[in-house]
């Protein structure tokens, strides 16, 4: 399965799709930060106005919770995309090293620099 993923990762369209998905997740993360910052900017209006109806305060709290939920979920998605990319890169390096050793003739000695990598 890892070899199939490695073959897929060499396709230009798959690389473009991965980078596009990563860019979209990154933009969603930035957008959630901006919206949360804008919502927190409204805090002064509610703190200084003592005649604010409870209904408005309730909707403000709901907006804050929704913005925080979007921030956490987009941050988690961004982190997991980066972790998945790093894991696939490590597995790709492992497969390259494994193929290099499988293709060596029986009598060849392994260089000292490659022994240290293991």
């Amino acid at each position: 399965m890892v070899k199939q993923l490695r073959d897929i990762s060499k396709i230009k369209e798959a690389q473009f799709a991965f980078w596009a998905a990563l860019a979209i997740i990154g933009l969603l993360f930035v957008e959630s930060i901006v919206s949360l910052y804008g919502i927190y900017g409204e805090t002064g209006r509610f703190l200084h106005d003592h005649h604010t109806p409870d209904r408005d305060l309730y909707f403000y709290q709901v907006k804050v919770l929704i913005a925080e939920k979007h921030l956490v979920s987009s941050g988690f998605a961004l982190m997991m995309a980066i972790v998945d990319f790093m894991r696939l890169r490590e597995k790709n390096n492992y497969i390259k090293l494994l193929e290099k050793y499988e293709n060596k003739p029986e009598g060849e000695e392994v260089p000292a620099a490659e022994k240290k990598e293991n």
Side-chain angles (χ1 to χ4, degrees):
M1 182 175 89
V2 174
K3 287 183 180 182
Q4 290 173 346
L5 284 174
R6 181 175 161 212
D7 293 338
I8 289 172
S9 69
K10 293 179 182 178
I11 300 171
K12 293 285 184 189
E13 290 84 11
Q15 290 176 356
F16 176 76
F18 174 77
W19 287 111
L22 189 63
I24 289 170
I25 292 170
L27 288 173
L28 287 173
F29 182 71
V30 170
E31 188 269 335
S32 64
I33 289 174
V34 169
S35 70
L36 191 61
Y37 181 75
I39 290 172
Y40 278 142
E42 295 177 11
T43 306
R45 184 177 69 158
F46 290 105
L47 292 177
H48 297 299
D49 187 9
H50 299 291
H51 302 292
T52 303
D54 289 338
R55 182 176 159 261
D56 289 346
L57 189 57
Y58 171 75
F59 285 124
Y60 170 76
Q61 290 172 343
V62 168
K63 282 176 26 178
V64 168
L65 287 175
I66 290 172
E68 287 175 348
K69 178 191 70 136
H70 287 199
L71 177 70
V72 169
S73 61
S74 62
F76 180 74
L78 184 64
M79 181 190 68
M80 289 310 296
I82 292 171
V83 166
D84 287 342
F85 176 73
M86 291 171 61
R87 295 273 301 169
L88 283 175
R89 188 177 65 184
E90 288 173 5
K91 288 187 185 282
N92 190 19
N93 290 339
Y94 174 74
I95 289 173
K96 284 181 185 177
L97 188 62
L98 189 63
E99 287 176 349
K100 184 192 294 186
Y101 283 119
E102 286 176 352
N103 293 334
K104 279 191 181 229
E106 289 288 323
E108 280 191 34
E109 188 69 28
V110 177
E114 290 181 4
K115 284 183 182 178
K116 290 180 182 177
E117 289 179 1
N118 293 333

